[in-house]
Amino acid sequence: MLMQTKPNLTLSREDFPTDFTWGVATSSFQIEGATHTDGRGASVWDTFCEQPGAIADGSNGSIACDHYHRYEEDLDLMARLGVNAYRFSMSWPRVQPDGRGAWNEAGFAFYERLIQGLLQRGIQVHITLNHWDMPQALQEAGGWANRETCGYFVAYALEVARRFGRYTQSLCTHNEPWVIAVLGHELGVFAPGLKSRKTAMLVSHHLLLSHGMAVKAIREAGIKLELGIVLNLSPIYPASDSEADMQKAKIDDGLNARWYLDPLCYGRYPEDVLSHLGDDAPTFSPEDMATIAQPMDFVGVNYYTRNFSSSGNPWDVNSTGNEVTDMGWEVYPEGLTELLCRLHQEYGIQCLRVTENGAAFKDEMVDGQIDDERRESYLREHIRATHDAMAQGVPVDAYFAWSLMDNFEWASGYEKRFGLIHVDYPSLKRTPKRSAKWYQQFLKA
Ligand code: GCO
């Protein structure tokens, strides 16, 4: 179906292929709560939240949205939205408290209830195995900096695929390896809070390697389901046309995007980044690189904004005058179109999914309603940007809004709200916002 761009006209669901997947996304640590319930082990984020000053509002994930107990209500909310897919993550320490050895049947039973609830409502199951909350017990044995963790991850991935593969549309190995490596191990602003670029780059290698090992193992086990990875990709632009800024933008793009896309798609690290890293580059073998480059059924893209690089400040957001969200991220839907086109043209990716897209804005409840027009507009503009890429022949087959509901926004705690559905803390009352009603209407049409 050749799709035509529809400049300035309101897009409707009919402007997309009938089999296009429309979903919402969440992650385990951000919504489940019940961190000490039914045998769940500690994750690195439970430990990180206890570090003084780590979380802006001093909160943690012990309750979050209490999705662990309220999942039926949340499933009904998804069904009322009219989505046909739900992207969520499995808490590794909930099903394997130590990250190796014994499985926790009560943990698997929760995900069984959740998955059956989705299927009963005609909602596709899209699971992420690692959305950052790896078992603390493994961290104490070196975590992702320890190559043995790759093997433990494969055992976990195989167990999940064996138990749930028949019900699952797609299985993503890692959500945003760059965030785990750089924010978690170089800048230390995310769990586990380490500050070593050399460690961060070794972690990124082990995340990519464990991805390839898991994909290979699941395929060799003959378990049929779509396998892929999810990357956070922000197109990076030079803050000016000076040579210094152009060079900075190139290496920042290298560190954020090409360091992951080149091995996954071409089986090699980018030479310019390797030389930029020098002794901080990880050691790796040709066998490692061949393992990483397992063919994938999809690549998920989490898109929020673009970034600018200036030789002075590597993450300087250029003052473009465009609207910014409550995270300080510029609203730039064109960046999503450019990114999707690049991924198809430069990397030949044959199945792309927008696995996260959304915005935090300060929500105000007035007479029991939240009139989040800016979030509605953000979603509408980025759905259009997705359509614009598809009209240029880019193979995108899904869009997941981030997020189903307000939740624990990592180091920002509960201060930043991304949900289509408002969560009142601590009553935990769910209230669909204007954006949820818009998405519902869009999906009904
Ligand atoms: C990410 C994570 C989400 C975040 C969302 C807003 O992409 O960073 O997958 O867990 O909450 O992106 O920052």
Side-chain angles (χ1 to χ4, degrees), residues 26-27 30 87 131-132 175-176 179 190 230 232 302-304 327 329 356 358 402-403 407-410 418:
T26 65
S27 89
Q30 293 180 273
R87 174 181 179 244
H131 199 125
W132 308 352
N175 176 77
E176 303 190 354
V179 168
F190 274 22
V230 168
N232 58 299
N302 290 352
Y303 178 83
Y304 290 91
M327 298 293 281
W329 299 345
E356 285 181 29
W402 181 271
S403 177
N407 56 53
F408 178 76
E409 179 48 35
W410 309 111
F418 278 87

Coordinates of all heavy atoms in Angstrom, one line a residue, residues 26-27 30 87 131-132 175-176 179 190 230 232 302-304 327 329 356 358 402-403 407-410 418, ligand 1:
T26 N 5.0 0.3 28.8 CA 5.4 0.6 30.2 C 6.7 -0.2 30.4 O 7.2 -0.9 29.6 CB 4.3 0.1 31.2 OG1 4.2 -1.3 31.1 CG2 3.0 0.7 30.9
S27 N 7.1 -0.2 31.7 CA 8.2 -1.1 32.1 C 8.0 -1.5 33.5 O 7.4 -0.8 34.3 CB 9.6 -0.4 31.9 OG 10.0 0.3 33.1
Q30 N 8.9 0.6 36.7 CA 8.3 1.9 36.7 C 6.8 1.8 37.1 O 6.2 2.9 37.6 CB 8.4 2.6 35.3 CG 9.8 2.9 34.9 CD 9.9 3.6 33.6 OE1 10.0 2.9 32.6 NE2 9.8 4.9 33.5
R87 N 3.3 -3.2 25.1 CA 4.7 -3.4 25.3 C 5.0 -3.2 26.8 O 4.9 -2.1 27.3 CB 5.6 -2.5 24.4 CG 7.0 -2.6 24.7 CD 7.9 -1.7 23.9 NE 9.3 -1.9 24.3 CZ 10.1 -1.0 24.9 NH1 9.6 0.2 25.1 NH2 11.3 -1.2 25.2
H131 N 14.5 -4.2 31.0 CA 14.3 -2.7 30.9 C 15.0 -2.2 32.2 O 14.3 -1.5 33.0 CB 12.8 -2.4 30.9 CG 12.5 -1.0 30.4 ND1 11.7 -0.7 29.4 CD2 13.0 0.2 30.9 CE1 11.6 0.6 29.2 NE2 12.4 1.1 30.1
W132 N 16.2 -2.5 32.4 CA 17.2 -1.9 33.3 C 17.2 -2.5 34.7 O 18.2 -2.3 35.4 CB 16.9 -0.4 33.4 CG 16.9 0.4 32.1 CD1 17.2 -0.1 30.9 CD2 16.5 1.7 31.9 NE1 17.0 0.8 30.0 CE2 16.6 2.0 30.6 CE3 16.1 2.7 32.8 CZ2 16.3 3.2 30.0 CZ3 15.8 4.0 32.2 CH2 15.9 4.2 30.9
N175 N 16.2 -3.0 26.5 CA 15.7 -1.7 26.2 C 16.8 -0.6 26.4 O 17.3 -0.5 27.5 CB 14.5 -1.3 27.2 CG 14.0 0.1 27.0 OD1 13.3 0.4 26.0 ND2 14.5 1.0 27.8
E176 N 17.2 0.0 25.3 CA 18.1 1.1 25.4 C 19.5 0.8 26.1 O 19.8 1.3 27.1 CB 17.5 2.3 26.2 CG 16.2 2.7 25.5 CD 15.6 4.0 26.1 OE1 16.2 4.6 27.0 OE2 14.6 4.5 25.5
V179 N 21.6 3.7 27.5 CA 21.2 4.2 28.8 C 21.9 3.4 29.9 O 22.5 4.0 30.8 CB 19.7 4.3 29.0 CG1 19.3 4.6 30.4 CG2 19.0 5.3 28.1
F190 N 22.2 6.9 36.7 CA 21.2 5.8 36.7 C 21.8 4.6 37.4 O 23.1 4.6 37.5 CB 20.7 5.4 35.3 CG 19.6 6.3 34.7 CD1 19.3 7.5 35.2 CD2 18.8 5.8 33.7 CE1 18.2 8.3 34.7 CE2 17.8 6.5 33.2 CZ 17.5 7.8 33.7
V230 N 15.6 -2.8 21.3 CA 15.0 -1.4 21.3 C 16.1 -0.4 21.7 O 16.8 -0.6 22.7 CB 13.9 -1.3 22.4 CG1 13.5 0.1 22.6 CG2 12.7 -2.1 21.9
N232 N 17.4 3.7 22.1 CA 17.0 5.1 22.2 C 17.9 5.9 21.2 O 19.1 5.9 21.3 CB 17.2 5.7 23.6 CG 18.6 5.5 24.1 OD1 19.2 4.4 24.1 ND2 19.3 6.6 24.4
N302 N 13.0 4.1 20.3 CA 12.4 5.0 21.3 C 12.8 6.4 20.9 O 14.0 6.8 21.0 CB 12.9 4.7 22.7 CG 12.4 3.3 23.2 OD1 11.5 2.8 22.5 ND2 12.8 2.9 24.3
Y303 N 11.9 7.2 20.5 CA 12.2 8.6 20.0 C 11.4 9.6 20.9 O 10.2 9.5 21.1 CB 11.8 8.8 18.6 CG 12.0 10.2 18.1 CD1 13.3 10.6 17.7 CD2 11.0 11.2 18.2 CE1 13.6 11.9 17.3 CE2 11.3 12.5 17.8 CZ 12.6 12.9 17.4 OH 12.8 14.2 17.0
Y304 N 12.2 10.6 21.3 CA 11.6 11.7 22.1 C 11.9 13.1 21.6 O 11.1 14.0 21.6 CB 12.0 11.6 23.6 CG 11.4 10.4 24.3 CD1 12.0 9.2 24.3 CD2 10.1 10.5 24.8 CE1 11.5 8.0 24.8 CE2 9.5 9.3 25.4 CZ 10.2 8.1 25.4 OH 9.6 7.0 25.9
M327 N 10.6 17.7 30.5 CA 12.0 17.2 30.6 C 13.0 18.1 30.0 O 14.2 17.9 30.1 CB 12.1 15.8 29.9 CG 11.2 14.7 30.4 SD 11.5 14.2 32.1 CE 12.9 13.1 31.8
W329 N 13.1 18.7 26.8 CA 13.3 18.1 25.5 C 12.6 18.8 24.4 O 11.3 19.0 24.6 CB 13.0 16.6 25.5 CG 13.7 15.8 26.5 CD1 14.8 16.1 27.2 CD2 13.4 14.4 26.9 NE1 15.2 15.0 28.0 CE2 14.3 14.0 27.8 CE3 12.3 13.5 26.6 CZ2 14.3 12.8 28.4 CZ3 12.3 12.3 27.2 CH2 13.3 11.9 28.1
E356 N 8.6 3.5 21.7 CA 8.3 4.5 22.7 C 8.2 5.9 22.0 O 9.2 6.2 21.3 CB 9.3 4.6 23.8 CG 9.2 3.5 24.8 CD 10.3 3.6 25.9 OE1 10.6 4.8 26.2 OE2 10.7 2.6 26.4
G358 N 6.5 9.8 23.4 CA 5.5 10.5 24.3 C 6.2 11.7 24.9 O 7.4 12.0 24.7
W402 N 4.4 6.2 24.7 CA 4.9 6.1 26.1 C 4.2 7.3 26.9 O 4.4 8.4 26.6 CB 6.4 6.3 26.1 CG 6.9 6.2 27.5 CD1 7.0 7.2 28.4 CD2 7.3 5.0 28.2 NE1 7.5 6.7 29.6 CE2 7.6 5.4 29.5 CE3 7.3 3.7 27.9 CZ2 8.0 4.4 30.5 CZ3 7.7 2.7 28.8 CH2 8.1 3.1 30.1
S403 N 3.4 7.0 27.9 CA 3.2 5.7 28.5 C 1.8 5.5 28.8 O 1.0 6.4 28.8 CB 4.1 5.6 29.7 OG 3.9 4.3 30.4
N407 N 4.2 7.2 35.7 CA 4.9 6.1 36.5 C 6.2 6.7 37.0 O 6.5 7.9 36.9 CB 5.1 4.9 35.6 CG 5.8 5.3 34.3 OD1 6.9 5.9 34.3 ND2 5.2 4.9 33.1
F408 N 7.0 5.8 37.6 CA 8.3 6.2 38.2 C 9.3 6.6 37.0 O 9.7 5.7 36.3 CB 8.8 5.0 39.0 CG 10.2 5.3 39.6 CD1 10.3 6.0 40.7 CD2 11.3 4.7 39.1 CE1 11.6 6.3 41.3 CE2 12.6 4.9 39.6 CZ 12.7 5.7 40.8
E409 N 9.6 7.8 36.9 CA 10.4 8.3 35.8 C 11.9 8.3 36.3 O 12.6 9.3 36.2 CB 10.0 9.7 35.3 CG 10.8 10.3 34.2 CD 11.1 9.3 33.1 OE1 10.2 8.5 32.7 OE2 12.2 9.4 32.5
W410 N 12.4 7.1 36.7 CA 13.8 6.9 37.0 C 14.3 8.0 38.0 O 13.7 8.2 39.0 CB 14.6 6.7 35.8 CG 14.0 5.7 34.9 CD1 13.4 5.9 33.7 CD2 13.9 4.3 35.1 NE1 12.9 4.7 33.1 CE2 13.2 3.7 34.0 CE3 14.3 3.5 36.1 CZ2 12.9 2.3 33.9 CZ3 14.0 2.1 36.1 CH2 13.4 1.5 35.0
F418 N 4.4 11.1 32.1 CA 4.4 10.8 30.7 C 3.1 10.1 30.3 O 2.9 9.7 29.1 CB 5.5 9.8 30.3 CG 6.8 10.5 30.1 CD1 7.7 10.8 31.1 CD2 7.2 10.9 28.8 CE1 8.9 11.4 30.9 CE2 8.5 11.5 28.6 CZ 9.3 11.8 29.7
Ligands
GCO1 C1 13.4 5.5 28.2 C2 12.8 4.5 28.9 C3 11.5 4.9 29.6 C4 11.4 6.3 30.1 C5 10.9 7.2 29.0 C6 10.9 8.7 29.4 O1 13.2 5.5 27.0 O2 14.2 6.3 28.7 O3 12.5 3.4 28.1 O4 11.5 4.0 30.7 O5 10.6 6.4 31.2 O6 11.7 7.2 27.9 O7 12.2 9.1 29.8

